[in-house]
Amino acid sequence: MDVLWIVLSGVAGLAIGSGCMVGLSKAGLNKNQQKAEQILKEAQNEAESRVKQAVLDGKTQAHDLRVEAEKEIKERKQESMELENKLLRREDNLNFRDEALNQKERQINEKMKSVADKLTSLDEKEKKLQEEIDKQVVVLESVAKMSSQAAKDELFAIVEKKMEHETIAYIKDKEDEAKATANEKAQNIIALAIERMSQQETQEKTVSVVSLPGEEMKGRIIGREGRNIRCFEQATGVELNIDDTPDLITITCFNPVRREVARLALEHLIRDGRIQPGRIEDVVKKYQNEIDQEIMKAGEEAIFKLGIGRIDREIVKLIGTLKYRYSYGQNALQHSMEVAYIAGCMAAELGLNQQIAKRAGLLHDIGKALNIEQQDGSHVELGYKFCKKHGEKEIVLNAIHSHHGDVEPKFLTSHLVIAADTISAARPGARKESAQAYINRLENLEKIANGFEGVSNAFAIQAGREIRVLVNPEHVDDLTCVKLARDIRDKIESELTYPGQIKVNVIRETRAQEYAK
């Protein structure tokens, strides 16, 4: 306020001085002085109002800060009280626990003291009992005229001799029981596996036949100078037989996939009616693509139904190709899936890995799909090499390699695949044989057996799955019977082709006759 007064005084003085320098009159000077006093008075009033407003604002702010501080102090005080109460409760709990522990400790000490007293009493009783036993032993030794050690040795010898006979008898009983139980268990497992899996009978397909709407269609299929039929055979890799039967065309080919492509393409061309080399190539290519897709789909469906996880795409394609492969009238894909189901069921009953058993069963004949392409080697060797190349596990590879006895089975799963393969091939209706082939096989079995020295007669029974060989007891002894059975088995394996297995049963019978007169 003093500063403002000084400023205003200076301004008034400056104004007065300026008025004097310009020669203002005295009346004008008075007027300016009044005006300056009025300005000074207004400035003073304004300064006083501002000071009052500042004081009021300061008091209001101080009041707000005081209220906020009191509130914070109150909250802190409340938190401190709650924390103090919590600590008091925890302290009470700890005191209670401490008291409980002290009480338990006193109880344990009392019990330990009681146990120590009882042990001391027992030791004294044991000492007295041992003294009585020693006295009785001395009395017994004097009566029996034998020391205690000698009596022990004699008793142990008697017990050992008795236990030896009992042990031998027990072991024999357990061996017989184990054999009977194992045989029964194996039969149950196989029966259960067969019961879970049933497949429809399959028919062998060696050729494909396409019906013609009329004789004039043959000429259109042959084409001018045979160009259509040559183009068709070259595009499909099959052979068409047109003149053998009326209104029919026979398609022959070793490869069933090519034969199926040719059948579908020929039926399409006959329905379409446009038969010319360019059209033939387009239709054949179309159905080749469709069959490739169908092969992949069949392989993927087989894997999905079995639930065996991920398999390499090349192997999936071969699995699908088995759909068009037949062995003794049995579809190779259905046979492989059946083997997988049976092996998986047996593995589940034995507590083995069911997925691995199914995988090995499905892939055991995968080499037959490679045989379609006329590759060198047996389907066992081809399948083993192909699956090894594509990263299959050793247990699966051994099952593939050993299912026909080419190598020794290393894993129990391999034995299951061998058993499942035999069951699937030998079950009724699985494989088809013509009547003449069936008769020839039985005759060949009997002929092989009768060709050995000492054989008096041979009979093929059970649809050729067993041959009973009767020998002359005067020329063949018991040991020779064993060798004869092996020789007949080896010759059958080397000379005959047959599904499943054949049992060779050599019988030697000795009879003694007398007549009472």
Side-chain angles (χ1 to χ4, degrees):
M1 193 170 182
D2 294 337
V3 175
L4 181 60
W5 173 257
I6 294 170
V7 173
L8 291 176
S9 298
V11 173
L14 183 60
I16 293 171
S18 298
C20 291
M21 291 176 66
V22 294
L24 293 176
S25 64
K26 186 178 180 181
L29 180 62
N30 293 332
K31 188 178 180 180
N32 289 334
Q33 187 176 1
Q34 291 176 358
K35 190 176 182 179
E37 290 177 355
Q38 186 180 359
I39 292 171
L40 179 62
K41 187 176 181 180
E42 290 177 357
Q44 186 177 1
N45 292 333
E46 184 178 356
E48 289 177 356
S49 68
R50 288 188 179 182
V51 169
K52 290 180 181 179
Q53 185 65 33
V55 171
L56 181 61
D57 291 342
K59 289 181 179 180
T60 303
Q61 186 175 5
H63 181 266
D64 293 340
L65 291 174
R66 186 182 300 108
V67 170
E68 185 177 354
E70 289 176 355
K71 183 179 179 181
E72 184 176 356
I73 291 170
K74 188 176 180 180
E75 291 178 353
R76 293 286 180 89
K77 188 176 181 180
Q78 183 68 23
E79 290 178 359
S80 299
M81 291 179 65
E82 292 178 356
L83 182 60
E84 185 178 358
N85 293 332
K86 186 182 292 186
L87 291 174
L88 290 174
R89 289 195 298 270
R90 186 170 295 179
E91 185 178 0
D92 293 339
N93 291 334
L94 291 174
N95 292 333
F96 178 77
R97 291 183 182 180
D98 187 43
E99 182 63 27
L101 290 174
N102 291 333
Q103 186 177 357
K104 287 184 179 180
E105 186 176 0
R106 288 193 296 271
Q107 292 176 355
I108 291 172
N109 291 332
E110 291 175 359
K111 289 182 179 180
M112 290 182 64
K113 184 177 179 181
S114 176
V115 170
D117 295 340
K118 289 182 179 180
L119 288 175
T120 304
S121 177
L122 287 175
D123 290 339
E124 293 176 356
K125 291 181 179 179
E126 184 180 2
K127 186 176 180 181
K128 292 180 180 180
L129 182 61
Q130 187 62 40
E131 291 176 357
E132 293 294 331
I133 291 173
D134 292 340
K135 292 178 181 179
Q136 293 295 328
V137 169
V138 172
V139 173
L140 290 174
E141 288 179 352
S142 62
V143 172
K145 297 181 180 181
M146 182 183 296
S147 66
S148 60
Q149 186 61 39
K152 288 180 183 179
D153 295 340
E154 185 175 352
L155 180 60
F156 284 154
I158 295 172
V159 172
E160 184 179 1
K161 187 174 182 181
K162 183 179 179 181
M163 289 300 296
E164 182 179 358
H165 294 289
E166 291 182 358
T167 303
I168 293 172
Y170 178 79
I171 292 173
K172 188 176 184 304
D173 291 341
K174 287 299 179 182
E175 287 180 351
D176 296 340
E177 181 181 351
K179 289 179 181 178
T181 304
N183 187 37
E184 181 180 359
K185 186 69 175 176
Q187 290 175 354
N188 290 336
I189 291 173
I190 293 173
L192 181 61
I194 296 174
E195 181 183 357
R196 291 183 183 177
M197 181 59 200
S198 60
Q199 291 283 351
Q200 62 180 1
E201 295 184 9
T202 57
Q203 300 294 327
E204 184 168 10
K205 297 180 180 179
T206 56
V207 297
S208 298
V209 179
V210 178
S211 299
L212 296 176
E215 287 293 325
E216 59 89 16
M217 183 59 69
K218 288 186 177 181
R220 298 178 63 182
I221 293 173
I222 294 173
R224 183 179 299 176
E225 298 179 356
R227 66 175 185 173
N228 288 346
I229 192 172
R230 286 198 302 270
C231 178
F232 186 87
E233 290 179 346
Q234 183 177 0
T236 58
V238 303
E239 182 179 352
L240 298 182
N241 297 323
I242 295 180
D243 297 328
D244 293 347
T245 54
D247 298 332
L248 291 176
I249 293 180
T250 303
I251 304 172
T252 59
C253 179
F254 176 78
N255 190 319
V257 177
R258 294 179 186 174
R259 190 169 64 245
E260 182 67 12
V261 172
R263 182 185 69 80
L264 295 174
L266 185 58
E267 289 178 350
H268 181 89
L269 290 170
I270 291 173
R271 289 194 305 270
D272 185 61
R274 294 176 294 171
I275 305 176
Q276 53 187 0
R279 179 65 177 165
I280 289 171
E281 292 178 356
D282 293 340
V283 172
V284 169
K285 186 175 181 180
K286 172 189 173 183
Y287 282 101
Q288 282 177 344
N289 294 333
E290 289 187 3
I291 289 296
D292 290 340
Q293 295 176 3
E294 182 66 24
I295 286 173
M296 289 300 296
K297 182 179 178 181
E300 291 171 352
E301 286 181 354
I303 295 169
F304 177 76
K305 288 180 181 179
L306 293 172
I308 56 178
R310 187 177 181 278
I311 293 183
D312 189 272
R313 296 287 295 176
E314 293 297 324
I315 299 179
V316 175
K317 184 177 180 181
L318 285 187
I319 293 172
T321 306
L322 290 176
K323 178 180 178 181
Y324 301 96
R325 176 69 154 80
Y326 290 83
S327 179
Y328 295 97
Q330 189 177 24
N331 183 270
L333 180 56
Q334 291 182 354
H335 166 66
S336 296
M337 292 184 67
E338 186 173 294
V339 172
Y341 277 122
I342 295 174
C345 291
M346 291 192 289
E349 291 297 320
L350 295 174
L352 301 176
N353 190 321
Q354 189 175 4
Q355 304 301 321
I356 291 294
K358 286 184 178 181
R359 194 182 189 98
L362 180 63
L363 300 181
H364 81 286
D365 270 348
I366 195 70
K368 289 184 178 180
L370 297 169
N371 271 347
I372 293 177
E373 303 299 331
Q374 292 290 323
Q375 297 189 28
D376 294 333
S378 66
H379 75 276
V380 175
E381 194 66 29
L382 292 175
Y384 170 77
K385 291 180 179 179
F386 187 83
C387 290
K388 184 177 181 180
K389 178 182 177 182
H390 289 83
E392 285 297 322
K393 295 181 179 179
E394 178 63 25
I395 187 170
V396 177
L397 296 175
N398 183 251
I400 297 172
H401 211 187
S402 64
H403 78 276
H404 279 320
D406 294 358
V407 298
E408 187 70 21
K410 297 179 181 178
F411 305 95
L412 187 54
T413 300
S414 302
H415 292 282
L416 295 184
V417 172
I418 294 172
D421 183 35
T422 304
I423 292 170
S424 174
R427 68 173 177 81
R431 296 189 173 183
K432 179 185 174 184
E433 278 188 301
S434 64
Q436 188 59 43
Y438 171 75
I439 294 172
N440 291 339
R441 183 155 63 87
L442 297 185
E443 291 178 349
N444 290 333
L445 275 175
E446 295 179 353
K447 183 178 179 181
I448 288 174
N450 287 322
F452 285 86
E453 185 179 356
V455 176
S456 60
N457 213 335
F459 303 97
I461 61 175
Q462 294 187 7
R465 287 190 289 272
E466 180 180 355
I467 181 168
R468 291 184 179 175
V469 182
L470 304 179
V471 298
N472 190 336
E474 297 178 357
H475 298 90
V476 180
D477 56 18
D478 290 340
L479 294 177
T480 307
C481 285
V482 178
K483 183 177 182 301
L484 180 62
R486 291 199 187 98
D487 293 341
I488 295 175
R489 178 202 64 187
D490 294 340
K491 192 167 184 180
I492 290 173
E493 289 178 350
S494 63
E495 296 185 5
L496 296 184
T497 301
Y498 49 90
Q501 61 182 8
I502 298 174
K503 179 181 179 182
V504 179
N505 195 357
V506 178
I507 302 172
R508 178 177 182 268
E509 182 182 19
T510 302
R511 296 185 182 182
Q513 295 180 352
E514 292 291 342
Y515 296 93
K517 298 180 182 179

